[in-house]
Amino acid sequence: MKSPVVIALLLVSGIAPAAQQSPSEAAVIWLREVATGKAEEKPGENTALSPEATEEDVSDIRSSLGQLRKTLRTEDLKVVADKQDGDLAAVLVSQITDFDASTVQIHAIGLVKSADKWLPAPMPSSFNSTGLSFRPGFLQRVKDLESWMLLARTEQLVRLKNDAFALLNEEMRKFKTPDELHEATPEKLAGDFISAVQARDLPAVLALLGGLEDPRPADWDDIYKVTSRMLRKKEITHPQWRLIGAPEAARAIVAAESGIDEPLVTIVALDPAGNYRVTPKAHMIDLPFVRSKSDTWRIRLTHDLMAPETRRAPGQSNRDIAQAEEDRRRKEEQDALQEAPFLEKFPEKLATASAPRREQTAREAAAQLLTAFRAPSLTPVCARMDLHTTPATALNALSRAGRLWQRIHLPFSEATPVLLEVHESGDDAWALVQMFSARDSGDPSIECLFFKRSADGWLANPGFSGESALPYTTDELAISKLLEPSLAARDAEWWNGLIQKIGGVAADSAPAEDEARKIVEESRRAVADGDALRYFALSVCLDDERGPLDMLKACSNDLTGRQAGEILAIHRAGRWTAVSLRVPPMEGDDSADSYPMVVLATTAEGTRILPEINLFDPLTDNRGLRNRTVLERVGTRLPEGARTELEGIYEKHRTISAADRGSKESKE
């Protein structure tokens, strides 16, 4: 941090190098740091805070920044004015949420140029606590800029409140002009609407809902309120809006009327993430189009899209919930009769929108299908399926694919698909896949996926999986008989052939630090990617009866979190090398970071992880009990000295973990 004297000398000398960032850029970057809490943690870091500032000054700064942090929305920040006086500057940054005049804020930032950097004053709207007001020649300049910030801030606040809709109108016209809304077809505009909702682009959505009409639609205030509230949420939760814009859903436009005054465009979507409790099915939604007085098209939101989503009422009894579920089921059955002609078009439209992704070998087709299942959307899976079959078969296959996608993505209970084996018989093939989860890591949970070869390569067969796929094989009876022995074998030990075992660990054979870092980093990438096979390939277990089951349990816990983590330190002693990690909780989990110690040993195949021997800095009694069990197992199973070496490393790990946790807590 520069002292006031150094800052003053730099300012007076005029010989400082050119700033790498403009004052405006530096102001916005600092506001983003305020939003994350970094500026509040260390008010003097990358700011012009004077080292002579008192503890009371710093406390006031932290309090001010804490209040500012609560109001910041970094995606809405935009520089609206700035003023520079040599090596001092002031910047005004606006914040308008959803072009709503009631949300307008103006943040005023003073900045000081030190060497080649613009440093923000630590207190918004002033140069307080910079020390510059006590330096000859700076007091009046500081006062002038502070006065400018006060007056210009008020002017900008009034202007932006008055111009909020003008700004929205400008953004809407960037997306569509009235001429384009006149000339485009409803089908094309419906596709644009889907894209705009998926991108959470409020101006684009509003442009298609009549925002550019003069006068605007009579229900414009309601339209604006519904769409802005829906798009502001982190996730789309409204069932009807999810059919239009949920990123997890596969969807297609299946029908578009033309030649009439109020045509309908029909969208069908299969949304696997809307309700994990039920097998997903395809549903349709209509977008009605109307012409304005100026002959431009707009979408008229239906009652279902305008209505609030249905939520469980406080105090609602289980009986009422069961009745509501029964009413929903009956309504779906009634809707299915009306929707059937449109749903039947869905598979073919999906297939047309994305060319089938065939592979040259059955194993590669299976591997790529599982990769598609790990994607955050069902759409990549559809490209791996043969949808050119009867509508009923294709819709059934899509529903089962959606259910499998749910098992892989179910929040906090994800299953990791593990490709066990692939068998071929002529132009037919089938892959056995274990749905590997922490809940029952050692139990078999086998999915059988079927594939068909054409002249262009391998693709999932029309029935897709299980018994539904057998009728689409060349010889259903023969393939059933071939399938039975492999299923029976996997039912006994599904992991057979996937797990490496070792009888012991030689003394003084600790892997080198560089090699340990490389293996751990690769294994953590596999965890983040949900790639169980790669994780298994980098791991070994002890060759007794407990080894595989203990290893599977440890691996499944890692894969469920899908967090790569960060290496804090590497330790070596005797036969062991261990890596201290900090692993954050998965998104949506408010648990504390965990601190596993990953244990590695040298094997005939090279450096490998022993997941069953990993230890944890104990935050709970369960973790402490697990650590004691692991150490007792090492002492019983391996030669004398192995446990002592591991305990010594573990104490270093605990020290590092405690220091890291304490550092994080002090910042918070």
Side-chain angles (χ1 to χ4, degrees):
M1 182 189 302
K2 300 286 191 294
S3 72
V5 174
V6 173
I7 293 176
L9 287 172
L10 287 167
L11 296 176
V12 171
S13 69
I15 59 173
Q20 297 300 309
Q21 294 169 335
S22 69
S24 295
E25 292 169 333
V28 172
I29 289 171
W30 182 70
L31 284 172
R32 287 177 178 150
E33 290 187 351
V34 172
T36 64
K38 291 180 181 177
E40 194 177 338
E41 293 169 11
K42 298 181 179 179
E45 190 171 283
N46 294 321
T47 70
L49 177 68
S50 168
E52 298 172 3
T54 66
E55 290 185 9
E56 185 178 355
D57 292 334
V58 174
S59 177
D60 289 344
I61 290 168
R62 284 201 170 103
S63 177
S64 177
L65 296 183
Q67 293 299 317
L68 177 59
R69 172 171 52 81
K70 295 174 183 177
T71 67
L72 283 172
R73 288 176 60 91
T74 55
E75 64 271 25
D76 297 329
L77 298 177
K78 183 178 181 181
V79 174
V80 291
D82 61 56
K83 185 174 182 179
Q84 188 171 337
D85 178 10
D87 293 310
L88 299 179
V91 176
L92 301 183
V93 181
S94 71
Q95 178 178 313
I96 309 175
T97 301
D98 296 337
F99 302 93
D100 184 349
S102 67
T103 69
V104 174
Q105 296 182 63
I106 301 292
H107 308 296
I109 313 298
L111 298 103
V112 178
K113 190 176 181 183
S114 174
D116 62 346
K117 285 186 70 176
W118 283 101
L119 300 176
M123 187 77 84
S125 303
S126 75
F127 287 88
N128 291 350
S129 299
T130 60
L132 292 178
S133 59
F134 300 104
R135 304 299 168 188
F138 287 98
L139 180 58
Q140 189 58 48
R141 294 169 63 197
V142 165
K143 284 185 174 181
D144 289 346
L145 282 175
E146 287 179 339
S147 297
W148 177 84
M149 282 192 281
L150 180 63
L151 292 172
R153 182 177 180 275
T154 302
E155 292 171 358
Q156 291 290 342
L157 197 62
V158 172
R159 180 185 71 81
L160 290 175
K161 281 181 176 290
N162 292 334
D163 293 350
F165 189 80
L167 293 172
L168 173 59
N169 192 67
E170 182 181 323
E171 292 300 314
M172 287 191 292
R173 285 177 178 272
K174 289 179 183 178
F175 175 73
K176 290 289 180 188
T177 65
D179 286 344
E180 290 171 328
L181 291 173
H182 168 72
E183 295 169 2
T185 65
E187 183 173 4
K188 170 66 169 63
L189 294 176
D192 293 339
F193 187 64
I194 291 170
S195 298
V197 173
Q198 287 182 310
R200 307 298 186 89
D201 188 338
L202 180 63
V205 169
L206 293 174
L208 293 163
L209 296 176
L212 293 174
E213 293 179 11
D214 187 16
R216 293 188 292 278
D219 57 349
W220 175 254
D221 288 346
D222 291 335
I223 291 171
Y224 180 88
K225 188 182 299 182
V226 166
T227 53
S228 62
R229 182 174 59 237
M230 183 272 299
L231 294 176
R232 195 182 302 144
K233 291 181 178 179
K234 186 176 181 180
E235 296 180 356
I236 300 174
T237 55
H238 192 291
Q240 301 300 311
W241 280 102
R242 285 191 63 85
L243 295 177
I244 297 170
E248 300 91 349
R251 65 178 57 78
I253 294 173
V254 300
E257 295 177 334
S258 60
I260 57 177
D261 291 338
E262 295 192 7
L264 290 177
V265 175
T266 303
I267 300 166
V268 173
L270 193 148
D271 176 18
N275 185 351
Y276 282 92
R277 293 174 299 176
V278 299
T279 299
K281 295 181 180 180
H283 292 284
M284 61 168 273
I285 185 169
D286 286 327
L287 294 181
F289 279 77
V290 295
R291 284 278 194 185
S292 70
K293 292 181 179 179
S294 57
D295 207 29
T296 58
W297 287 114
R298 72 172 171 88
I299 297 168
R300 177 174 56 79
L301 293 183
T302 62
H303 171 75
D304 286 344
L305 291 171
M306 293 291 285
E309 62 181 292
T310 304
R311 293 182 179 274
R312 177 175 178 174
Q316 190 176 18
S317 68
N318 289 335
R319 182 175 181 179
D320 290 339
I321 295 169
Q323 184 60 52
E325 187 66 21
E326 178 63 18
D327 292 344
R328 182 195 64 78
R329 186 187 63 78
R330 287 179 180 174
K331 184 178 183 302
E332 281 193 356
E333 290 177 353
Q334 294 171 358
D335 290 345
L337 295 175
Q338 299 173 359
E339 294 181 354
F342 298 97
L343 300 185
E344 289 175 354
K345 299 178 182 180
F346 180 50
E348 192 66 32
K349 292 289 185 180
L350 270 182
T352 302
S354 179
R357 301 289 301 274
R358 300 179 184 274
E359 301 296 338
Q360 293 306 302
T361 68
R363 173 166 285 278
E364 186 62 19
Q368 290 300 325
L369 178 59
L370 296 187
T371 297
F373 267 114
R374 288 195 290 267
S377 169
L378 185 62
T379 301
V381 174
C382 299
R384 300 280 172 184
M385 300 173 67
D386 184 357
L387 301 176
H388 295 289
T389 181
T390 65
T393 297
L395 287 169
N396 184 273
L398 285 167
S399 286
R400 280 182 287 106
R403 189 60 176 167
L404 190 56
W405 187 97
Q406 287 178 327
R407 292 184 65 188
I408 295 168
H409 294 271
L410 178 64
F412 305 110
S413 298
E414 299 99 329
T416 300
V418 181
L419 182 58
L420 303 177
E421 54 193 72
V422 178
H423 300 269
E424 293 183 34
S425 177
D427 290 333
D428 295 299
W430 55 98
L432 300 186
V433 178
Q434 166 71 8
M435 301 304 288
F436 181 45
S437 71
R439 185 176 300 173
D440 48 11
S441 58
D443 296 336
S445 179
I446 309 294
E447 290 281 345
C448 189
L449 308 180
F450 285 82
F451 299 84
K452 195 80 171 177
R453 177 168 52 191
S454 70
D456 298 322
W458 291 91
L459 195 68
N461 94 1
F464 187 68
S465 66
E467 293 183 0
S468 298
L470 284 170
Y472 295 91
T473 60
T474 305
D475 189 333
E476 180 178 354
L477 182 59
I479 288 179
S480 295
K481 290 181 178 180
L482 291 172
L483 179 59
E484 287 174 4
S486 53
L487 279 175
R490 291 296 177 182
D491 203 44
E493 289 187 349
W494 69 261
W495 59 85
N496 189 35
L498 302 178
I499 292 179
Q500 305 171 64
K501 302 177 183 179
I502 56 173
V505 183
D508 299 321
S509 62
E513 285 192 16
D514 288 348
E515 184 65 15
R517 179 182 296 275
K518 174 185 171 184
I519 294 296
V520 170
E521 286 178 344
E522 190 172 349
S523 73
R524 300 312 298 183
R525 284 194 294 271
V527 166
D529 293 339
D531 188 345
L533 284 180
R534 186 64 192 139
Y535 195 28
F536 291 164
L538 297 168
S539 305
V540 294
C541 68
L542 297 176
D543 63 355
D544 54 18
E545 186 176 348
R546 284 185 55 182
L549 294 175
D550 284 356
M551 173 181 157
L552 289 172
K553 184 63 177 176
C555 289
S556 66
N557 287 331
D558 259 350
L559 288 161
T560 297
R562 303 276 172 91
Q563 298 293 320
E566 180 181 349
I567 292 177
L568 300 178
I570 300 177
H571 323 273
R572 296 178 74 241
R575 71 200 73 211
W576 308 115
T577 297
V579 177
S580 293
L581 293 177
R582 182 204 309 122
V583 179
M586 61 193 302
E587 186 176 356
D589 184 352
D590 59 0
S591 302
D593 294 346
S594 64
Y595 290 86
M597 187 180 89
V598 179
V599 179
L600 302 96
T602 299
T603 74
E605 304 300 323
T607 299
R608 292 292 183 268
I609 297 167
L610 284 89
E612 63 183 306
I613 299 179
N614 290 351
L615 298 171
F616 287 84
D617 185 28
L619 292 175
T620 64
D621 291 340
N622 287 340
R623 286 273 171 85
L625 176 61
R626 182 191 183 282
N627 289 344
R628 290 192 294 274
T629 301
V630 168
L631 290 170
E632 288 171 4
R633 174 163 161 70
V634 169
T636 302
R637 182 67 176 75
L638 297 176
E640 185 178 352
R643 174 173 178 169
T644 304
E645 293 166 354
L646 198 58
E647 287 175 330
I649 293 176
Y650 178 60
E651 287 308 311
K652 295 179 182 178
H653 171 73
R654 290 195 63 177
T655 300
I656 287 171
S657 301
D660 186 79
R661 186 182 299 108
S663 174
K664 290 198 69 178
E665 288 174 351
S666 66
K667 291 177 182 178
E668 294 170 358

PDB file of all heavy atoms in Angstrom, residues 349-374:
ATOM      1  N   LYS A 349     -40.086 -33.997 -35.121  1.00  0.00           N
ATOM      2  CA  LYS A 349     -39.576 -32.624 -35.148  1.00  0.00           C
ATOM      3  C   LYS A 349     -38.223 -32.524 -34.436  1.00  0.00           C
ATOM      4  O   LYS A 349     -37.321 -31.807 -34.882  1.00  0.00           O
ATOM      5  CB  LYS A 349     -40.586 -31.677 -34.500  1.00  0.00           C
ATOM      6  CG  LYS A 349     -41.872 -31.494 -35.288  1.00  0.00           C
ATOM      7  CD  LYS A 349     -41.640 -30.687 -36.557  1.00  0.00           C
ATOM      8  CE  LYS A 349     -42.948 -30.396 -37.285  1.00  0.00           C
ATOM      9  NZ  LYS A 349     -42.733 -29.598 -38.517  1.00  0.00           N
ATOM     10  N   LEU A 350     -38.088 -33.245 -33.306  1.00  0.00           N
ATOM     11  CA  LEU A 350     -36.801 -33.274 -32.608  1.00  0.00           C
ATOM     12  C   LEU A 350     -35.711 -33.851 -33.502  1.00  0.00           C
ATOM     13  O   LEU A 350     -34.594 -33.325 -33.582  1.00  0.00           O
ATOM     14  CB  LEU A 350     -36.906 -34.123 -31.342  1.00  0.00           C
ATOM     15  CG  LEU A 350     -37.301 -33.460 -30.029  1.00  0.00           C
ATOM     16  CD1 LEU A 350     -37.278 -34.496 -28.913  1.00  0.00           C
ATOM     17  CD2 LEU A 350     -36.379 -32.304 -29.680  1.00  0.00           C
ATOM     18  N   ALA A 351     -36.047 -34.959 -34.170  1.00  0.00           N
ATOM     19  CA  ALA A 351     -35.068 -35.627 -35.034  1.00  0.00           C
ATOM     20  C   ALA A 351     -34.668 -34.729 -36.196  1.00  0.00           C
ATOM     21  O   ALA A 351     -33.506 -34.706 -36.617  1.00  0.00           O
ATOM     22  CB  ALA A 351     -35.642 -36.944 -35.546  1.00  0.00           C
ATOM     23  N   THR A 352     -35.630 -33.971 -36.714  1.00  0.00           N
ATOM     24  CA  THR A 352     -35.345 -33.069 -37.834  1.00  0.00           C
ATOM     25  C   THR A 352     -34.459 -31.912 -37.401  1.00  0.00           C
ATOM     26  O   THR A 352     -33.588 -31.458 -38.147  1.00  0.00           O
ATOM     27  CB  THR A 352     -36.663 -32.522 -38.427  1.00  0.00           C
ATOM     28  OG1 THR A 352     -37.469 -33.626 -38.837  1.00  0.00           O
ATOM     29  CG2 THR A 352     -36.399 -31.616 -39.613  1.00  0.00           C
ATOM     30  N   ALA A 353     -34.686 -31.419 -36.177  1.00  0.00           N
ATOM     31  CA  ALA A 353     -33.935 -30.257 -35.683  1.00  0.00           C
ATOM     32  C   ALA A 353     -32.468 -30.578 -35.431  1.00  0.00           C
ATOM     33  O   ALA A 353     -31.611 -29.697 -35.515  1.00  0.00           O
ATOM     34  CB  ALA A 353     -34.580 -29.740 -34.399  1.00  0.00           C
ATOM     35  N   SER A 354     -32.165 -31.839 -35.128  1.00  0.00           N
ATOM     36  CA  SER A 354     -30.781 -32.216 -34.825  1.00  0.00           C
ATOM     37  C   SER A 354     -30.472 -33.555 -35.486  1.00  0.00           C
ATOM     38  O   SER A 354     -31.098 -34.569 -35.180  1.00  0.00           O
ATOM     39  CB  SER A 354     -30.579 -32.321 -33.308  1.00  0.00           C
ATOM     40  OG  SER A 354     -29.265 -32.715 -33.000  1.00  0.00           O
ATOM     41  N   ALA A 355     -29.508 -33.559 -36.387  1.00  0.00           N
ATOM     42  CA  ALA A 355     -29.146 -34.788 -37.101  1.00  0.00           C
ATOM     43  C   ALA A 355     -28.662 -35.850 -36.115  1.00  0.00           C
ATOM     44  O   ALA A 355     -27.967 -35.539 -35.142  1.00  0.00           O
ATOM     45  CB  ALA A 355     -28.052 -34.500 -38.115  1.00  0.00           C
ATOM     46  N   PRO A 356     -29.027 -37.112 -36.299  1.00  0.00           N
ATOM     47  CA  PRO A 356     -28.584 -38.184 -35.393  1.00  0.00           C
ATOM     48  C   PRO A 356     -27.063 -38.248 -35.298  1.00  0.00           C
ATOM     49  O   PRO A 356     -26.359 -38.113 -36.312  1.00  0.00           O
ATOM     50  CB  PRO A 356     -29.150 -39.449 -36.054  1.00  0.00           C
ATOM     51  CG  PRO A 356     -30.286 -38.975 -36.894  1.00  0.00           C
ATOM     52  CD  PRO A 356     -29.887 -37.623 -37.382  1.00  0.00           C
ATOM     53  N   ARG A 357     -26.561 -38.444 -34.095  1.00  0.00           N
ATOM     54  CA  ARG A 357     -25.120 -38.527 -33.855  1.00  0.00           C
ATOM     55  C   ARG A 357     -24.722 -39.998 -33.744  1.00  0.00           C
ATOM     56  O   ARG A 357     -24.781 -40.604 -32.683  1.00  0.00           O
ATOM     57  CB  ARG A 357     -24.759 -37.775 -32.577  1.00  0.00           C
ATOM     58  CG  ARG A 357     -25.141 -36.297 -32.573  1.00  0.00           C
ATOM     59  CD  ARG A 357     -24.254 -35.488 -33.518  1.00  0.00           C
ATOM     60  NE  ARG A 357     -22.865 -35.603 -33.128  1.00  0.00           N
ATOM     61  CZ  ARG A 357     -22.291 -34.824 -32.205  1.00  0.00           C
ATOM     62  NH1 ARG A 357     -23.016 -33.893 -31.589  1.00  0.00           N
ATOM     63  NH2 ARG A 357     -21.014 -34.963 -31.900  1.00  0.00           N
ATOM     64  N   ARG A 358     -24.342 -40.588 -34.857  1.00  0.00           N
ATOM     65  CA  ARG A 358     -23.949 -42.003 -34.891  1.00  0.00           C
ATOM     66  C   ARG A 358     -22.451 -42.149 -34.648  1.00  0.00           C
ATOM     67  O   ARG A 358     -21.675 -41.222 -34.903  1.00  0.00           O
ATOM     68  CB  ARG A 358     -24.333 -42.631 -36.232  1.00  0.00           C
ATOM     69  CG  ARG A 358     -25.837 -42.587 -36.514  1.00  0.00           C
ATOM     70  CD  ARG A 358     -26.160 -43.205 -37.869  1.00  0.00           C
ATOM     71  NE  ARG A 358     -27.581 -43.095 -38.185  1.00  0.00           N
ATOM     72  CZ  ARG A 358     -28.506 -43.961 -37.814  1.00  0.00           C
ATOM     73  NH1 ARG A 358     -28.138 -45.032 -37.119  1.00  0.00           N
ATOM     74  NH2 ARG A 358     -29.778 -43.785 -38.128  1.00  0.00           N
ATOM     75  N   GLU A 359     -22.056 -43.333 -34.162  1.00  0.00           N
ATOM     76  CA  GLU A 359     -20.650 -43.631 -33.917  1.00  0.00           C
ATOM     77  C   GLU A 359     -20.268 -44.897 -34.674  1.00  0.00           C
ATOM     78  O   GLU A 359     -21.122 -45.720 -35.016  1.00  0.00           O
ATOM     79  CB  GLU A 359     -20.383 -43.809 -32.422  1.00  0.00           C
ATOM     80  CG  GLU A 359     -20.735 -42.600 -31.576  1.00  0.00           C
ATOM     81  CD  GLU A 359     -19.907 -41.364 -31.895  1.00  0.00           C
ATOM     82  OE1 GLU A 359     -18.801 -41.518 -32.458  1.00  0.00           O
ATOM     83  OE2 GLU A 359     -20.373 -40.244 -31.585  1.00  0.00           O
ATOM     84  N   GLN A 360     -18.966 -45.052 -34.913  1.00  0.00           N
ATOM     85  CA  GLN A 360     -18.493 -46.171 -35.722  1.00  0.00           C
ATOM     86  C   GLN A 360     -18.413 -47.483 -34.955  1.00  0.00           C
ATOM     87  O   GLN A 360     -18.361 -48.551 -35.560  1.00  0.00           O
ATOM     88  CB  GLN A 360     -17.117 -45.830 -36.324  1.00  0.00           C
ATOM     89  CG  GLN A 360     -17.185 -44.707 -37.348  1.00  0.00           C
ATOM     90  CD  GLN A 360     -18.206 -44.993 -38.439  1.00  0.00           C
ATOM     91  OE1 GLN A 360     -18.118 -46.013 -39.140  1.00  0.00           O
ATOM     92  NE2 GLN A 360     -19.187 -44.108 -38.593  1.00  0.00           N
ATOM     93  N   THR A 361     -18.381 -47.418 -33.630  1.00  0.00           N
ATOM     94  CA  THR A 361     -18.375 -48.647 -32.833  1.00  0.00           C
ATOM     95  C   THR A 361     -19.491 -48.567 -31.787  1.00  0.00           C
ATOM     96  O   THR A 361     -19.895 -47.476 -31.359  1.00  0.00           O
ATOM     97  CB  THR A 361     -17.033 -48.862 -32.108  1.00  0.00           C
ATOM     98  OG1 THR A 361     -16.881 -47.847 -31.094  1.00  0.00           O
ATOM     99  CG2 THR A 361     -15.864 -48.792 -33.080  1.00  0.00           C
ATOM    100  N   ALA A 362     -19.945 -49.735 -31.362  1.00  0.00           N
ATOM    101  CA  ALA A 362     -21.001 -49.779 -30.351  1.00  0.00           C
ATOM    102  C   ALA A 362     -20.500 -49.220 -29.021  1.00  0.00           C
ATOM    103  O   ALA A 362     -21.232 -48.520 -28.317  1.00  0.00           O
ATOM    104  CB  ALA A 362     -21.495 -51.210 -30.176  1.00  0.00           C
ATOM    105  N   ARG A 363     -19.259 -49.525 -28.658  1.00  0.00           N
ATOM    106  CA  ARG A 363     -18.720 -49.018 -27.387  1.00  0.00           C
ATOM    107  C   ARG A 363     -18.655 -47.502 -27.392  1.00  0.00           C
ATOM    108  O   ARG A 363     -18.999 -46.847 -26.400  1.00  0.00           O
ATOM    109  CB  ARG A 363     -17.332 -49.614 -27.111  1.00  0.00           C
ATOM    110  CG  ARG A 363     -16.636 -49.006 -25.888  1.00  0.00           C
ATOM    111  CD  ARG A 363     -15.444 -49.814 -25.447  1.00  0.00           C
ATOM    112  NE  ARG A 363     -15.860 -51.032 -24.764  1.00  0.00           N
ATOM    113  CZ  ARG A 363     -16.219 -51.097 -23.482  1.00  0.00           C
ATOM    114  NH1 ARG A 363     -16.226 -50.011 -22.726  1.00  0.00           N
ATOM    115  NH2 ARG A 363     -16.560 -52.234 -22.939  1.00  0.00           N
ATOM    116  N   GLU A 364     -18.223 -46.924 -28.514  1.00  0.00           N
ATOM    117  CA  GLU A 364     -18.143 -45.472 -28.579  1.00  0.00           C
ATOM    118  C   GLU A 364     -19.537 -44.856 -28.539  1.00  0.00           C
ATOM    119  O   GLU A 364     -19.745 -43.803 -27.927  1.00  0.00           O
ATOM    120  CB  GLU A 364     -17.405 -45.036 -29.849  1.00  0.00           C
ATOM    121  CG  GLU A 364     -17.137 -43.538 -29.946  1.00  0.00           C
ATOM    122  CD  GLU A 364     -16.258 -43.004 -28.830  1.00  0.00           C
ATOM    123  OE1 GLU A 364     -15.545 -43.807 -28.177  1.00  0.00           O
ATOM    124  OE2 GLU A 364     -16.291 -41.778 -28.590  1.00  0.00           O
ATOM    125  N   ALA A 365     -20.511 -45.518 -29.174  1.00  0.00           N
ATOM    126  CA  ALA A 365     -21.893 -45.024 -29.120  1.00  0.00           C
ATOM    127  C   ALA A 365     -22.402 -45.020 -27.684  1.00  0.00           C
ATOM    128  O   ALA A 365     -23.057 -44.068 -27.244  1.00  0.00           O
ATOM    129  CB  ALA A 365     -22.793 -45.891 -29.996  1.00  0.00           C
ATOM    130  N   ALA A 366     -22.080 -46.080 -26.928  1.00  0.00           N
ATOM    131  CA  ALA A 366     -22.506 -46.150 -25.527  1.00  0.00           C
ATOM    132  C   ALA A 366     -21.809 -45.081 -24.692  1.00  0.00           C
ATOM    133  O   ALA A 366     -22.440 -44.398 -23.877  1.00  0.00           O
ATOM    134  CB  ALA A 366     -22.217 -47.538 -24.963  1.00  0.00           C
ATOM    135  N   ALA A 367     -20.491 -44.936 -24.899  1.00  0.00           N
ATOM    136  CA  ALA A 367     -19.733 -43.942 -24.133  1.00  0.00           C
ATOM    137  C   ALA A 367     -20.237 -42.529 -24.408  1.00  0.00           C
ATOM    138  O   ALA A 367     -20.394 -41.712 -23.488  1.00  0.00           O
ATOM    139  CB  ALA A 367     -18.245 -44.052 -24.461  1.00  0.00           C
ATOM    140  N   GLN A 368     -20.499 -42.231 -25.676  1.00  0.00           N
ATOM    141  CA  GLN A 368     -20.960 -40.886 -26.029  1.00  0.00           C
ATOM    142  C   GLN A 368     -22.379 -40.625 -25.530  1.00  0.00           C
ATOM    143  O   GLN A 368     -22.726 -39.497 -25.174  1.00  0.00           O
ATOM    144  CB  GLN A 368     -20.889 -40.683 -27.548  1.00  0.00           C
ATOM    145  CG  GLN A 368     -19.479 -40.602 -28.100  1.00  0.00           C
ATOM    146  CD  GLN A 368     -18.691 -39.446 -27.506  1.00  0.00           C
ATOM    147  OE1 GLN A 368     -19.242 -38.386 -27.225  1.00  0.00           O
ATOM    148  NE2 GLN A 368     -17.397 -39.643 -27.307  1.00  0.00           N
ATOM    149  N   LEU A 369     -23.205 -41.662 -25.490  1.00  0.00           N
ATOM    150  CA  LEU A 369     -24.554 -41.496 -24.946  1.00  0.00           C
ATOM    151  C   LEU A 369     -24.487 -41.149 -23.454  1.00  0.00           C
ATOM    152  O   LEU A 369     -25.207 -40.262 -22.980  1.00  0.00           O
ATOM    153  CB  LEU A 369     -25.371 -42.772 -25.149  1.00  0.00           C
ATOM    154  CG  LEU A 369     -26.802 -42.745 -24.581  1.00  0.00           C
ATOM    155  CD1 LEU A 369     -27.626 -41.623 -25.205  1.00  0.00           C
ATOM    156  CD2 LEU A 369     -27.487 -44.093 -24.800  1.00  0.00           C
ATOM    157  N   LEU A 370     -23.606 -41.809 -22.716  1.00  0.00           N
ATOM    158  CA  LEU A 370     -23.468 -41.503 -21.293  1.00  0.00           C
ATOM    159  C   LEU A 370     -22.902 -40.102 -21.088  1.00  0.00           C
ATOM    160  O   LEU A 370     -23.288 -39.397 -20.150  1.00  0.00           O
ATOM    161  CB  LEU A 370     -22.586 -42.541 -20.608  1.00  0.00           C
ATOM    162  CG  LEU A 370     -23.135 -43.979 -20.589  1.00  0.00           C
ATOM    163  CD1 LEU A 370     -22.258 -44.874 -19.729  1.00  0.00           C
ATOM    164  CD2 LEU A 370     -24.578 -44.019 -20.092  1.00  0.00           C
ATOM    165  N   THR A 371     -21.993 -39.685 -21.957  1.00  0.00           N
ATOM    166  CA  THR A 371     -21.493 -38.306 -21.890  1.00  0.00           C
ATOM    167  C   THR A 371     -22.630 -37.321 -22.109  1.00  0.00           C
ATOM    168  O   THR A 371     -22.739 -36.299 -21.423  1.00  0.00           O
ATOM    169  CB  THR A 371     -20.394 -38.079 -22.945  1.00  0.00           C
ATOM    170  OG1 THR A 371     -19.283 -38.940 -22.664  1.00  0.00           O
ATOM    171  CG2 THR A 371     -19.909 -36.631 -22.943  1.00  0.00           C
ATOM    172  N   ALA A 372     -23.506 -37.637 -23.069  1.00  0.00           N
ATOM    173  CA  ALA A 372     -24.668 -36.773 -23.326  1.00  0.00           C
ATOM    174  C   ALA A 372     -25.582 -36.708 -22.113  1.00  0.00           C
ATOM    175  O   ALA A 372     -26.137 -35.651 -21.791  1.00  0.00           O
ATOM    176  CB  ALA A 372     -25.431 -37.283 -24.548  1.00  0.00           C
ATOM    177  N   PHE A 373     -25.731 -37.822 -21.407  1.00  0.00           N
ATOM    178  CA  PHE A 373     -26.584 -37.837 -20.219  1.00  0.00           C
ATOM    179  C   PHE A 373     -26.026 -36.948 -19.107  1.00  0.00           C
ATOM    180  O   PHE A 373     -26.781 -36.437 -18.275  1.00  0.00           O
ATOM    181  CB  PHE A 373     -26.757 -39.258 -19.690  1.00  0.00           C
ATOM    182  CG  PHE A 373     -27.967 -39.958 -20.229  1.00  0.00           C
ATOM    183  CD1 PHE A 373     -27.849 -41.064 -21.059  1.00  0.00           C
ATOM    184  CD2 PHE A 373     -29.237 -39.507 -19.904  1.00  0.00           C
ATOM    185  CE1 PHE A 373     -28.975 -41.704 -21.561  1.00  0.00           C
ATOM    186  CE2 PHE A 373     -30.372 -40.142 -20.393  1.00  0.00           C
ATOM    187  CZ  PHE A 373     -30.240 -41.241 -21.233  1.00  0.00           C
ATOM    188  N   ARG A 374     -24.715 -36.770 -19.076  1.00  0.00           N
ATOM    189  CA  ARG A 374     -24.129 -35.921 -18.036  1.00  0.00           C
ATOM    190  C   ARG A 374     -24.283 -34.439 -18.352  1.00  0.00           C
ATOM    191  O   ARG A 374     -24.017 -33.594 -17.498  1.00  0.00           O
ATOM    192  CB  ARG A 374     -22.650 -36.269 -17.834  1.00  0.00           C
ATOM    193  CG  ARG A 374     -22.440 -37.614 -17.136  1.00  0.00           C
ATOM    194  CD  ARG A 374     -21.018 -37.763 -16.624  1.00  0.00           C
ATOM    195  NE  ARG A 374     -20.046 -37.931 -17.677  1.00  0.00           N
ATOM    196  CZ  ARG A 374     -19.626 -39.109 -18.135  1.00  0.00           C
ATOM    197  NH1 ARG A 374     -20.126 -40.228 -17.624  1.00  0.00           N
ATOM    198  NH2 ARG A 374     -18.731 -39.182 -19.095  1.00  0.00           N
TER     199      ARG A 374
END
